[in-house]
PDB file of all heavy atoms in Angstrom:
ATOM      1  N   ASN A 114       0.901  22.475 -22.914  1.00 98.00           N
ATOM      2  CA  ASN A 114       1.417  22.840 -21.586  1.00 98.00           C
ATOM      3  C   ASN A 114       0.741  24.104 -21.068  1.00 98.00           C
ATOM      4  O   ASN A 114       1.185  24.701 -20.089  1.00 98.00           O
ATOM      5  CB  ASN A 114       2.941  23.048 -21.638  1.00 98.00           C
ATOM      6  CG  ASN A 114       3.332  24.333 -22.356  1.00 98.00           C
ATOM      7  OD1 ASN A 114       2.549  24.895 -23.117  1.00 98.00           O
ATOM      8  ND2 ASN A 114       4.541  24.813 -22.108  1.00 98.00           N
ATOM      9  N   ILE A 118       1.329  26.790 -17.898  1.00 98.00           N
ATOM     10  CA  ILE A 118       1.813  28.145 -18.189  1.00 98.00           C
ATOM     11  C   ILE A 118       0.841  29.184 -17.621  1.00 98.00           C
ATOM     12  O   ILE A 118       1.265  30.188 -17.028  1.00 98.00           O
ATOM     13  CB  ILE A 118       2.007  28.323 -19.711  1.00 98.00           C
ATOM     14  CG1 ILE A 118       3.175  27.456 -20.195  1.00 98.00           C
ATOM     15  CG2 ILE A 118       2.203  29.790 -20.086  1.00 98.00           C
ATOM     16  CD1 ILE A 118       4.554  27.894 -19.746  1.00 98.00           C
ATOM     17  N   ARG A 133       6.329  37.365 -20.911  1.00 98.00           N
ATOM     18  CA  ARG A 133       6.048  37.229 -22.344  1.00 98.00           C
ATOM     19  C   ARG A 133       5.869  35.754 -22.676  1.00 98.00           C
ATOM     20  O   ARG A 133       6.586  34.906 -22.157  1.00 98.00           O
ATOM     21  CB  ARG A 133       7.204  37.790 -23.183  1.00 98.00           C
ATOM     22  CG  ARG A 133       7.340  39.291 -23.087  1.00 98.00           C
ATOM     23  CD  ARG A 133       8.516  39.786 -23.897  1.00 98.00           C
ATOM     24  NE  ARG A 133       8.329  39.599 -25.328  1.00 98.00           N
ATOM     25  CZ  ARG A 133       7.625  40.414 -26.099  1.00 98.00           C
ATOM     26  NH1 ARG A 133       7.029  41.467 -25.586  1.00 98.00           N
ATOM     27  NH2 ARG A 133       7.515  40.174 -27.393  1.00 98.00           N
ATOM     28  N   LEU A 134       4.910  35.475 -23.544  1.00 98.00           N
ATOM     29  CA  LEU A 134       4.707  34.110 -24.015  1.00 98.00           C
ATOM     30  C   LEU A 134       5.089  34.036 -25.488  1.00 98.00           C
ATOM     31  O   LEU A 134       4.824  34.964 -26.246  1.00 98.00           O
ATOM     32  CB  LEU A 134       3.233  33.694 -23.863  1.00 98.00           C
ATOM     33  CG  LEU A 134       2.635  33.726 -22.460  1.00 98.00           C
ATOM     34  CD1 LEU A 134       1.180  33.242 -22.502  1.00 98.00           C
ATOM     35  CD2 LEU A 134       3.437  32.858 -21.489  1.00 98.00           C
ATOM     36  N   THR A 135       5.718  32.941 -25.889  1.00 98.00           N
ATOM     37  CA  THR A 135       5.918  32.655 -27.316  1.00 98.00           C
ATOM     38  C   THR A 135       5.329  31.279 -27.581  1.00 98.00           C
ATOM     39  O   THR A 135       5.670  30.308 -26.901  1.00 98.00           O
ATOM     40  CB  THR A 135       7.410  32.678 -27.699  1.00 98.00           C
ATOM     41  OG1 THR A 135       8.180  32.045 -26.667  1.00 98.00           O
ATOM     42  CG2 THR A 135       7.908  34.088 -27.898  1.00 98.00           C
ATOM     43  N   HIS A 136       4.409  31.223 -28.553  1.00 98.00           N
ATOM     44  CA  HIS A 136       3.635  30.003 -28.793  1.00 98.00           C
ATOM     45  C   HIS A 136       4.205  29.173 -29.945  1.00 98.00           C
ATOM     46  O   HIS A 136       4.914  29.697 -30.807  1.00 98.00           O
ATOM     47  CB  HIS A 136       2.178  30.369 -29.115  1.00 98.00           C
ATOM     48  CG  HIS A 136       1.415  30.872 -27.933  1.00 98.00           C
ATOM     49  ND1 HIS A 136       1.437  32.191 -27.547  1.00 98.00           N
ATOM     50  CD2 HIS A 136       0.631  30.223 -27.043  1.00 98.00           C
ATOM     51  CE1 HIS A 136       0.683  32.351 -26.469  1.00 98.00           C
ATOM     52  NE2 HIS A 136       0.179  31.173 -26.133  1.00 98.00           N
ATOM     53  N   ASP A 137       3.819  27.916 -29.977  1.00 97.00           N
ATOM     54  CA  ASP A 137       4.104  27.086 -31.147  1.00 97.00           C
ATOM     55  C   ASP A 137       3.114  27.444 -32.259  1.00 97.00           C
ATOM     56  O   ASP A 137       2.189  28.243 -32.043  1.00 97.00           O
ATOM     57  CB  ASP A 137       4.053  25.591 -30.790  1.00 97.00           C
ATOM     58  CG  ASP A 137       2.632  25.095 -30.526  1.00 97.00           C
ATOM     59  OD1 ASP A 137       1.766  25.933 -30.179  1.00 97.00           O
ATOM     60  OD2 ASP A 137       2.392  23.885 -30.643  1.00 97.00           O
ATOM     61  N   LYS A 142       0.940  25.334 -27.231  1.00 98.00           N
ATOM     62  CA  LYS A 142       2.044  25.271 -26.280  1.00 98.00           C
ATOM     63  C   LYS A 142       2.682  26.649 -26.212  1.00 98.00           C
ATOM     64  O   LYS A 142       2.605  27.417 -27.174  1.00 98.00           O
ATOM     65  CB  LYS A 142       3.103  24.262 -26.728  1.00 98.00           C
ATOM     66  CG  LYS A 142       2.590  22.848 -26.874  1.00 98.00           C
ATOM     67  CD  LYS A 142       3.646  21.948 -27.446  1.00 98.00           C
ATOM     68  CE  LYS A 142       3.055  20.580 -27.753  1.00 98.00           C
ATOM     69  NZ  LYS A 142       4.035  19.695 -28.393  1.00 98.00           N
ATOM     70  N   ALA A 143       3.334  26.938 -25.100  1.00 98.00           N
ATOM     71  CA  ALA A 143       3.976  28.247 -24.985  1.00 98.00           C
ATOM     72  C   ALA A 143       5.227  28.169 -24.126  1.00 98.00           C
ATOM     73  O   ALA A 143       5.325  27.360 -23.196  1.00 98.00           O
ATOM     74  CB  ALA A 143       3.004  29.269 -24.398  1.00 98.00           C
ATOM     75  N   ASN A 144       6.192  29.044 -24.477  1.00 98.00           N
ATOM     76  CA  ASN A 144       7.303  29.365 -23.587  1.00 98.00           C
ATOM     77  C   ASN A 144       6.881  30.553 -22.744  1.00 98.00           C
ATOM     78  O   ASN A 144       6.103  31.403 -23.205  1.00 98.00           O
ATOM     79  CB  ASN A 144       8.535  29.827 -24.383  1.00 98.00           C
ATOM     80  CG  ASN A 144       9.056  28.808 -25.367  1.00 98.00           C
ATOM     81  OD1 ASN A 144       9.382  27.691 -24.988  1.00 98.00           O
ATOM     82  ND2 ASN A 144       9.158  29.206 -26.629  1.00 98.00           N
ATOM     83  N   LEU A 145       7.425  30.636 -21.547  1.00 98.00           N
ATOM     84  CA  LEU A 145       7.163  31.798 -20.690  1.00 98.00           C
ATOM     85  C   LEU A 145       8.494  32.429 -20.308  1.00 98.00           C
ATOM     86  O   LEU A 145       9.419  31.731 -19.882  1.00 98.00           O
ATOM     87  CB  LEU A 145       6.402  31.364 -19.436  1.00 98.00           C
ATOM     88  CG  LEU A 145       6.044  32.475 -18.443  1.00 98.00           C
ATOM     89  CD1 LEU A 145       4.710  32.175 -17.762  1.00 98.00           C
ATOM     90  CD2 LEU A 145       7.140  32.651 -17.377  1.00 98.00           C
ATOM     91  N   PHE A 146       8.570  33.749 -20.465  1.00 98.00           N
ATOM     92  CA  PHE A 146       9.796  34.473 -20.135  1.00 98.00           C
ATOM     93  C   PHE A 146       9.447  35.670 -19.262  1.00 98.00           C
ATOM     94  O   PHE A 146       8.552  36.446 -19.589  1.00 98.00           O
ATOM     95  CB  PHE A 146      10.497  34.948 -21.421  1.00 98.00           C
ATOM     96  CG  PHE A 146      11.773  35.683 -21.159  1.00 98.00           C
ATOM     97  CD1 PHE A 146      12.937  34.987 -20.847  1.00 98.00           C
ATOM     98  CD2 PHE A 146      11.816  37.062 -21.187  1.00 98.00           C
ATOM     99  CE1 PHE A 146      14.127  35.656 -20.591  1.00 98.00           C
ATOM    100  CE2 PHE A 146      13.002  37.745 -20.932  1.00 98.00           C
ATOM    101  CZ  PHE A 146      14.152  37.038 -20.633  1.00 98.00           C
ATOM    102  N   PHE A 222      11.090  29.536 -19.213  1.00 98.00           N
ATOM    103  CA  PHE A 222      10.459  28.213 -19.125  1.00 98.00           C
ATOM    104  C   PHE A 222       9.964  27.821 -20.526  1.00 98.00           C
ATOM    105  O   PHE A 222       9.148  28.523 -21.112  1.00 98.00           O
ATOM    106  CB  PHE A 222       9.269  28.242 -18.152  1.00 98.00           C
ATOM    107  CG  PHE A 222       9.647  28.527 -16.710  1.00 98.00           C
ATOM    108  CD1 PHE A 222       8.647  28.651 -15.741  1.00 98.00           C
ATOM    109  CD2 PHE A 222      10.966  28.656 -16.303  1.00 98.00           C
ATOM    110  CE1 PHE A 222       8.967  28.895 -14.407  1.00 98.00           C
ATOM    111  CE2 PHE A 222      11.301  28.903 -14.971  1.00 98.00           C
ATOM    112  CZ  PHE A 222      10.290  29.033 -14.015  1.00 98.00           C
ATOM    113  N   SER A 223      10.428  26.688 -21.017  1.00 98.00           N
ATOM    114  CA  SER A 223      10.188  26.331 -22.420  1.00 98.00           C
ATOM    115  C   SER A 223       9.207  25.170 -22.577  1.00 98.00           C
ATOM    116  O   SER A 223       8.883  24.475 -21.620  1.00 98.00           O
ATOM    117  CB  SER A 223      11.515  25.947 -23.074  1.00 98.00           C
ATOM    118  OG  SER A 223      11.968  24.735 -22.502  1.00 98.00           O
ATOM    119  N   TYR A 224       8.784  24.957 -23.823  1.00 97.00           N
ATOM    120  CA  TYR A 224       8.008  23.762 -24.174  1.00 97.00           C
ATOM    121  C   TYR A 224       8.835  22.902 -25.137  1.00 97.00           C
ATOM    122  O   TYR A 224       9.808  23.366 -25.726  1.00 97.00           O
ATOM    123  CB  TYR A 224       6.653  24.137 -24.820  1.00 97.00           C
ATOM    124  CG  TYR A 224       6.752  24.825 -26.173  1.00 97.00           C
ATOM    125  CD1 TYR A 224       6.834  24.097 -27.350  1.00 97.00           C
ATOM    126  CD2 TYR A 224       6.761  26.219 -26.268  1.00 97.00           C
ATOM    127  CE1 TYR A 224       6.924  24.723 -28.597  1.00 97.00           C
ATOM    128  CE2 TYR A 224       6.847  26.847 -27.497  1.00 97.00           C
ATOM    129  CZ  TYR A 224       6.940  26.096 -28.661  1.00 97.00           C
ATOM    130  OH  TYR A 224       7.040  26.720 -29.881  1.00 97.00           O
ATOM    131  N   GLY A 232      11.234  24.040 -28.618  1.00 94.00           N
ATOM    132  CA  GLY A 232      10.506  25.253 -28.246  1.00 94.00           C
ATOM    133  C   GLY A 232      11.376  26.451 -27.922  1.00 94.00           C
ATOM    134  O   GLY A 232      11.035  27.586 -28.247  1.00 94.00           O
ATOM    135  N   VAL A 233      12.516  26.203 -27.282  1.00 96.00           N
ATOM    136  CA  VAL A 233      13.286  27.298 -26.681  1.00 96.00           C
ATOM    137  C   VAL A 233      13.781  28.313 -27.712  1.00 96.00           C
ATOM    138  O   VAL A 233      13.957  29.488 -27.393  1.00 96.00           O
ATOM    139  CB  VAL A 233      14.455  26.737 -25.849  1.00 96.00           C
ATOM    140  CG1 VAL A 233      15.542  26.153 -26.737  1.00 96.00           C
ATOM    141  CG2 VAL A 233      15.019  27.798 -24.914  1.00 96.00           C
ATOM    142  N   GLY A 234      13.977  27.878 -28.966  1.00 96.00           N
ATOM    143  CA  GLY A 234      14.508  28.786 -29.987  1.00 96.00           C
ATOM    144  C   GLY A 234      13.649  30.022 -30.166  1.00 96.00           C
ATOM    145  O   GLY A 234      14.157  31.129 -30.319  1.00 96.00           O
ATOM    146  N   ARG A 235      12.325  29.823 -30.111  1.00 97.00           N
ATOM    147  CA  ARG A 235      11.416  30.975 -30.287  1.00 97.00           C
ATOM    148  C   ARG A 235      11.554  31.952 -29.128  1.00 97.00           C
ATOM    149  O   ARG A 235      11.475  33.167 -29.307  1.00 97.00           O
ATOM    150  CB  ARG A 235       9.970  30.503 -30.354  1.00 97.00           C
ATOM    151  CG  ARG A 235       9.689  29.762 -31.627  1.00 97.00           C
ATOM    152  CD  ARG A 235       8.252  29.348 -31.742  1.00 97.00           C
ATOM    153  NE  ARG A 235       8.137  28.539 -32.961  1.00 97.00           N
ATOM    154  CZ  ARG A 235       7.099  28.532 -33.773  1.00 97.00           C
ATOM    155  NH1 ARG A 235       6.045  29.257 -33.493  1.00 97.00           N
ATOM    156  NH2 ARG A 235       7.100  27.798 -34.850  1.00 97.00           N
ATOM    157  N   MET A 236      11.734  31.415 -27.935  1.00 98.00           N
ATOM    158  CA  MET A 236      11.881  32.286 -26.770  1.00 98.00           C
ATOM    159  C   MET A 236      13.185  33.079 -26.876  1.00 98.00           C
ATOM    160  O   MET A 236      13.217  34.279 -26.593  1.00 98.00           O
ATOM    161  CB  MET A 236      11.851  31.447 -25.490  1.00 98.00           C
ATOM    162  CG  MET A 236      12.073  32.250 -24.226  1.00 98.00           C
ATOM    163  SD  MET A 236      11.467  31.404 -22.747  1.00 98.00           S
ATOM    164  CE  MET A 236      12.227  29.789 -22.881  1.00 98.00           C
ATOM    165  N   ILE A 237      14.254  32.410 -27.299  1.00 97.00           N
ATOM    166  CA  ILE A 237      15.542  33.097 -27.414  1.00 97.00           C
ATOM    167  C   ILE A 237      15.460  34.199 -28.473  1.00 97.00           C
ATOM    168  O   ILE A 237      15.956  35.306 -28.269  1.00 97.00           O
ATOM    169  CB  ILE A 237      16.668  32.083 -27.733  1.00 97.00           C
ATOM    170  CG1 ILE A 237      16.903  31.171 -26.519  1.00 97.00           C
ATOM    171  CG2 ILE A 237      17.951  32.801 -28.124  1.00 97.00           C
ATOM    172  CD1 ILE A 237      17.862  30.020 -26.764  1.00 97.00           C
ATOM    173  N   GLU A 425      19.030  22.517 -23.571  1.00 95.00           N
ATOM    174  CA  GLU A 425      18.824  23.771 -24.293  1.00 95.00           C
ATOM    175  C   GLU A 425      20.027  24.706 -24.172  1.00 95.00           C
ATOM    176  O   GLU A 425      20.049  25.768 -24.793  1.00 95.00           O
ATOM    177  CB  GLU A 425      17.569  24.455 -23.740  1.00 95.00           C
ATOM    178  CG  GLU A 425      16.310  23.627 -23.955  1.00 95.00           C
ATOM    179  CD  GLU A 425      15.095  24.146 -23.202  1.00 95.00           C
ATOM    180  OE1 GLU A 425      15.276  24.786 -22.149  1.00 95.00           O
ATOM    181  OE2 GLU A 425      13.967  23.904 -23.666  1.00 95.00           O
TER     182      GLU A 425
END
Side-chain angles (χ1 to χ4, degrees):
N114 72 341
I118 292 290
R133 291 178 67 81
L134 301 182
T135 41
H136 289 86
D137 71 337
K142 300 174 187 176
N144 301 303
L145 180 147
F146 181 78
F222 295 177
S223 68
Y224 66 87
V233 71
R235 290 183 185 216
M236 177 160 51
I237 291 173
E425 297 169 333

